[in-house]
Amino acid sequence: MTLDQRQIAAAREQLLEDGYCVVDGLLPDGALERLRRWSDDWIARTEHPPQWKYQGSDIKLTGIRTTSPASLKQPSDEMVDFLIDHPARILRALKIDDHRSIGTFQIISKPPYAPALYWHQDWMRWDDPISLSPWPQTVFLNWYLTDTNVANGCLRAIPGSHLRRLDLHEHLIAPHEGGGYEVEETNEWMFYDHPDAVDVPVKAGQLMIGDARLLHGTHPNTTAERRTVLLGWYYRRANTVPEHWAGSVPPEIKSRDPDMPLRRNRVPGGFLRS
């Protein structure tokens, strides 16, 4: 299977400007059905705690060949190695092949009639000037195993929110274990119908790539069918300007202390500008 260079060029531009893009996942024949059976099996034999209400499921698995210190306590499965390795050609074409997998994939499955997933972003380094990078430092890869649409809970995103502060940022509760697990479905801001939001429907087998800083959520699943996505995280180890980058570089990144310690903070600060 070949990559359409015009589509790839447009996808890279959209990833930089909007914070996400959708491309052909180039899955080999039969792979989609194997992934469906594999994920269905894991979902069937995994206990789903109440905290997964908005995500549907959040089954974290590590590879056998590809692991990381943070994933050593997670179950291992060789299918994860395939999910990690297969996108290499796509990432190279998009000029983000300096990103490396964290060593895990997540099975996130929204069951029938499940609620929406609240607005959130997943960047964890808002105290670092690298947050200003016009290139992505961390991306998530979503392999959708069924066609998605508004009815079955497709992704929603706010284009450009990875680089631009919105009023919504000031009202959001930190996602997942940071407080999102306890959010009420009536929360005005976490489920706000933002005027800049767009739906991101995806065909089964396509690959959706998003910047970790992007504000995103989902619609509820109003159908009787489960909607499953396989989610993987890839990050740049370097905090310097990418070799391929020809655009401008924020002065805060140019003067950034290369020995700056890593601090985790999911709340946008001064490095997300209006």
Side-chain angles (χ1 to χ4, degrees):
M1 304 176 73
T2 60
L3 290 164
D4 185 311
Q5 294 304 313
R6 288 179 298 179
Q7 291 180 0
I8 284 292
R12 174 170 168 78
E13 182 178 359
Q14 185 181 23
L15 177 61
L16 295 177
E17 293 186 2
D18 292 345
Y20 70 93
C21 66
V22 179
V23 297
D24 186 340
L26 304 180
L27 290 172
D29 290 344
L32 187 59
E33 187 54 42
R34 288 195 297 273
L35 289 170
R36 287 170 176 156
R37 292 195 300 267
W38 171 77
S39 59
D40 285 347
D41 177 64
W42 271 105
I43 292 168
R45 57 192 171 101
T46 300
E47 181 179 354
H48 286 54
Q51 67 191 38
W52 286 356
K53 172 182 176 179
Y54 294 116
Q55 291 167 287
S57 67
D58 188 12
I59 304 169
K60 296 182 176 69
L61 303 169
T62 187
I64 294 176
R65 290 182 289 101
T66 310
T67 60
S68 72
S71 64
L72 294 180
K73 294 182 180 180
Q74 295 165 357
S76 58
D77 194 298
E78 62 182 356
M79 187 67 83
V80 177
D81 292 311
F82 166 76
L83 290 166
I84 289 173
D85 295 342
H86 179 72
R89 184 158 58 117
I90 298 171
L91 299 184
R92 185 166 57 250
L94 289 169
K95 299 182 181 178
I96 52 173
D97 51 322
D98 56 350
H99 287 63
R100 297 291 178 267
S101 168
I102 66 170
T104 64
F105 255 78
Q106 296 163 248
I107 302 173
I108 297 181
S109 189
K110 192 175 286 295
Y113 311 113
L117 176 60
Y118 44 75
W119 288 117
H120 69 285
Q121 47 77 27
D122 293 292
W123 180 240
M124 296 186 179
R125 298 174 59 189
W126 285 111
D127 292 334
D128 193 319
I130 201 66
S131 300
L132 289 165
S133 65
W135 57 83
Q137 277 289 122
T138 300
V139 296
F140 60 92
L141 272 60
N142 277 353
W143 296 97
Y144 285 93
L145 303 187
T146 54
D147 293 355
T148 67
N149 50 56
V150 171
N152 69 359
C154 73
L155 190 87
R156 303 181 77 199
I158 302 180
S161 58
H162 62 309
L163 298 175
R164 176 171 55 90
R165 181 182 293 275
L166 307 174
D167 289 346
L168 184 57
H169 281 103
E170 313 303 327
H171 299 281
L172 296 181
I173 297 169
H176 315 327
E177 70 281 356
Y181 289 151
E182 286 77 42
V183 165
E184 297 291 339
E185 290 183 57
T186 55
N187 186 292
E188 176 185 4
W189 291 104
M190 295 294 280
F191 299 97
Y192 179 54
D193 188 15
H194 197 280
D196 294 338
V198 298
D199 301 327
V200 188
V202 176
K203 294 291 186 182
Q206 286 185 317
L207 182 62
M208 184 268 178
I209 302 174
D211 191 302
R213 298 167 292 183
L214 178 73
L215 281 177
H216 61 285
T218 74
H219 286 283
N221 183 0
T222 60
T223 74
E225 302 295 329
R226 184 165 61 209
R227 191 273 287 145
T228 301
V229 62
L230 308 178
L231 166 66
W233 287 98
Y234 290 68
Y235 71 101
R236 291 187 73 231
R237 293 192 177 117
N239 295 305
T240 52
V241 180
E243 291 184 6
H244 59 74
W245 186 255
S248 61
V249 178
E252 293 89 344
I253 293 180
K254 291 181 179 179
S255 61
R256 179 187 182 277
D257 180 358
D259 297 321
M260 184 176 184
L262 174 64
R263 287 183 52 194
R264 295 188 180 276
N265 178 13
R266 298 190 73 152
V267 180
F271 294 123
L272 183 65
R273 297 168 176 162
S274 299

